[in-house]
Structure formats: C-alpha cells, structure tokens
Amino acid sequence: MPTLVQLKYILAVSELKSFNKAARYCNVSQPSLSTQVRKVEQELEIKIFDRNTKPIMPTKNGNKVIQQARNILLENKKLLNIRQDKGEISGDFHLSCIHSLAPYIVPLFISSFSTKYPKVNLKISELKTDEILERLLDNKIDAGLLVTPLLNKKIEEHKIFYEKFYVFTSANHVLYDKKNVSYKDLKSKSIWLLEEGHCLRNQVLNLCSMNKDYKVFKNIIFDSENLETLINLIRNGDGFTLLPELATFGLSDYEKKKFLKKILDPAPYREVSLINSLNYAKNRIISALKKEIYENLPSKVKFNYQNNQNLNIINI
C-alpha cells in the first residue's frame, strides 16, 4: 500500500508537471522522489506518468491514481481535524477570493482574525470564480469567498452578506445629471467592464443591454481585472461602471455626492458567500472565518443581510 508521503510526491509531480520541481517543492532530492514514485508504480503495476512528455503528464490510469491520492490525503486531513476539534482552532487554511471583493473585504477582517486565531496559518489569494471552483474541487484550496448562488451540487455555500449595486459615472457622462438611475438608463453607452471570466462582468451584462457601441472609446478595448482601475479611468476621463457597495466606501464624500448614483427600486444586489467542497475537513476554521468576516462588515451592509426579504439578487 502506498504511503502518505509517496502519495504527496505523486500529487506534487502531477501539479508541477516536473520531477525536479516536485522534488524542490517537497524538499527532497530528485532521485529520492523518483524512486518513491517508481515503487508505487511497481506495487500497483501501473505507469502513473509518461516520462517521455515535456511537461510530464499522467497516463489514463495515472489520472485515476492521482484522483484517489487526493481523496486519501483529504480523508487523512479529516482525521487530523478530529483532534483539532478538541482544542484551540489551529492549522493551515488557504482561502481564495475573487478580484472584485478582495481589495474591500480582506482589509476589514484580516487583522482581527489574526489576533483571535493566532494558530491558524491563513493564506489568501485572488482568483476568478472558475479558478476557485477548479482548485476547490481538486483540494488545492480550502475555501472560496465569492458571489453566489453557483448551483453546483459539489459545493456547499455559506451566505455572509448582500451587496447593493451603484452607478459610478464621470462628470461629462449623460448619467451625471441624474439623481437616480433607472434600469433603462443602464443601457447607456460608454461603460467600463472587468475582463472576461469575472463574475461581476457577467452581473453587469445581466443588468445592462450591451451592444457593439458600449465602449467608451471606439478604437480602444480595455478589460481590467481591477475595479480600482475602472474607478480611476472614470475619475480622469469618461464613461461609467457599476460598483458593488463595499467598493464605494473608498470614494470621497464629494465623489459619493456627485458621481455615485442609486439605482431605482428594485435595486440590484449580489450575494456573497464562503464556499467549500462537500467533503470539507476544516469546519471550525470556516465557521470562525465566516463569523469574523460578518462581524467586521460596515453596519450598512449588515443591514442588507438582516433585511433580505425580496431583494433583487442578480445571478452570475
């Protein structure tokens, strides 16, 4: 029977697609790692990796071994988690957050979480929704912070809050003179969007009827990964975009008064949740994380969650 160490070596080769890189990652010599992988292949009478390809790729049967190795290592984590449940919350935890949330939500809770849970080694990365789902189901991360619902039966969603959408416009745009913006107004030209793959882009497209003339400048296409870039483009030029509520707290009082517009009822909202796979092994950490995120939200955003009847939730 392969050992846990051997299974970790196999997963490292699978993910890094190189025996040399996997050996460095696992902090062992390359010959030692290769020997252990060959022992597993001999024991199972299966060739796990095709060593003639560059980068190294698993064989058809090798993919089955790799998936089972992930499952076994995950079950091992669950056993270790039983011990964790008896005492102080501790352990390694990798959280991935979408780009349109991370700059605004992470600074709110990261300090207090670090203070309250000093034995949790929390790693936070920024990824797109599809990337979070892929890595979550491959057990490469522990949880995701993103927009739901996802309607994925392999995923468990923990709702945390609802964010209202606002219009942010430049001074010379047609929407600037409006006190409030209707859904019809959202069909206006000259909108800035995040790049393909961002759930916020899809939500904006669901709200606005885009056509070939939606661009701010006819000869320029600029799809950003960062909402702050879009905000600065509007501050210094032309056009408009839709901002989720947390992104509006960094605007100056003057900008909120002059350039930020409410959308007439039923105003659109997005639902934000922590997600994990159904075979999740670190329940106490995710419960603590969910609580810490919610407790550090602005009171205005908490109010949305506490009074969530009949909210117009925009799907991805």
Side-chain angles (χ1 to χ4, degrees):
M1 177 67 66
T3 67
L4 295 178
V5 171
Q6 288 172 329
L7 295 180
K8 289 178 181 178
Y9 290 171
I10 290 170
L11 286 188
V13 176
S14 172
E15 292 172 9
L16 298 173
K17 296 178 173 56
S18 164
F19 280 89
N20 286 327
K21 291 179 181 179
R24 289 197 296 270
Y25 177 80
C26 296
N27 199 27
V28 295
S29 68
Q30 191 270 330
S32 176
L33 182 141
S34 295
T35 297
Q36 293 302 316
V37 173
R38 284 193 182 278
K39 283 183 178 180
V40 176
E41 290 179 319
Q42 291 169 0
E43 183 177 355
L44 299 179
E45 298 181 352
I46 288 174
K47 187 177 181 181
I48 300 174
F49 296 104
D50 184 351
R51 292 163 176 79
N52 295 320
T53 61
K54 288 187 179 181
I56 298 293
M57 298 298 293
T59 63
K60 183 177 180 180
N61 285 328
N63 279 320
K64 296 178 182 179
V65 174
I66 290 165
Q67 184 56 53
Q68 193 60 34
R70 287 197 183 101
N71 294 338
I72 292 170
L73 291 173
L74 181 63
E75 293 302 317
N76 180 64
K77 282 185 179 180
K78 290 182 179 180
L79 285 174
L80 296 175
N81 199 50
I82 293 174
R83 181 179 65 185
Q84 181 200 82
D85 285 344
K86 293 182 177 179
E88 188 175 4
I89 296 176
S90 63
D92 297 331
F93 194 90
H94 188 170
L95 171 70
S96 286
C97 184
I98 57 173
H99 297 272
S100 64
L101 263 176
Y104 315 108
I105 191 67
V106 173
L108 296 180
F109 73 86
I110 194 168
S111 178
S112 60
F113 186 89
S114 175
T115 300
K116 289 184 181 179
Y117 305 100
K119 293 188 177 181
V120 176
N121 300 313
L122 178 62
K123 178 181 179 180
I124 303 175
S125 57
E126 293 186 35
L127 295 170
K128 296 177 183 177
T129 296
D130 288 345
E131 294 170 331
I132 291 176
L133 287 172
E134 180 182 351
R135 297 191 187 193
L136 195 62
L137 295 175
D138 284 343
N139 300 316
K140 295 179 181 178
I141 62 174
D142 294 299
L145 185 59
L146 42 65
V147 173
T148 53
L150 298 173
L151 304 178
N152 188 319
K153 294 181 179 180
K154 296 180 180 180
I155 296 296
E156 185 176 13
E157 300 178 2
H158 309 268
K159 297 176 188 176
I160 304 179
F161 63 95
Y162 299 99
E163 268 191 297
K164 193 175 183 178
F165 280 103
Y166 292 83
V167 168
F168 185 66
T169 181
S170 63
N172 57 354
H173 194 272
V174 65
L175 298 179
Y176 175 76
D177 293 325
K178 293 182 175 290
K179 184 177 180 180
N180 297 306
V181 174
S182 69
Y183 282 88
K184 184 178 179 180
D185 294 327
L186 294 180
K187 298 179 181 180
S188 299
K189 299 178 183 179
S190 304
I191 189 170
W192 292 105
L193 298 169
L194 293 178
E195 71 174 8
E196 293 281 355
H198 289 278
C199 60
L200 182 57
R201 177 190 177 100
N202 295 337
Q203 289 176 310
V204 171
L205 291 174
N206 283 342
L207 286 169
C208 310
S209 297
M210 298 293 101
N211 56 46
K212 64 181 181 179
D213 297 322
Y214 78 87
K215 293 183 296 183
V216 177
F217 303 107
K218 291 183 179 180
N219 62 328
I220 295 176
I221 297 174
F222 181 79
D223 293 333
S224 175
E225 280 206 350
N226 194 312
L227 268 179
E228 290 300 311
T229 304
L230 302 189
I231 290 172
N232 284 327
L233 283 167
I234 293 167
R235 280 173 174 155
N236 295 283
D238 198 357
F240 80 102
T241 195
L242 267 63
L243 296 181
E245 195 158 10
L246 286 179
T248 68
F249 285 91
L251 302 176
S252 67
D253 290 340
Y254 177 79
E255 287 175 322
K256 291 176 184 176
K257 182 179 179 180
K258 293 291 186 179
F259 308 120
L260 196 65
K261 313 293 181 180
K262 290 183 179 180
I263 301 174
L264 293 171
D265 290 336
Y269 288 78
R270 71 175 182 174
E271 177 184 278
V272 177
S273 303
L274 269 174
I275 66 167
N276 57 263
S277 60
L278 291 179
N279 55 4
Y280 186 64
K282 300 179 182 177
N283 294 308
R284 292 186 72 201
I285 295 179
I286 201 166
S287 295
L289 192 56
K290 178 184 176 183
K291 181 180 178 182
E292 206 59 30
I293 292 172
Y294 180 79
E295 288 184 350
N296 286 279
L297 289 171
S299 57
K300 189 178 178 183
V301 178
K302 286 183 181 179
F303 179 83
N304 296 340
Y305 185 79
Q306 295 162 356
N307 300 270
N308 60 15
Q309 293 85 0
N310 301 319
L311 290 184
N312 181 23
I313 308 298
I314 305 302
N315 290 331
I316 298 173

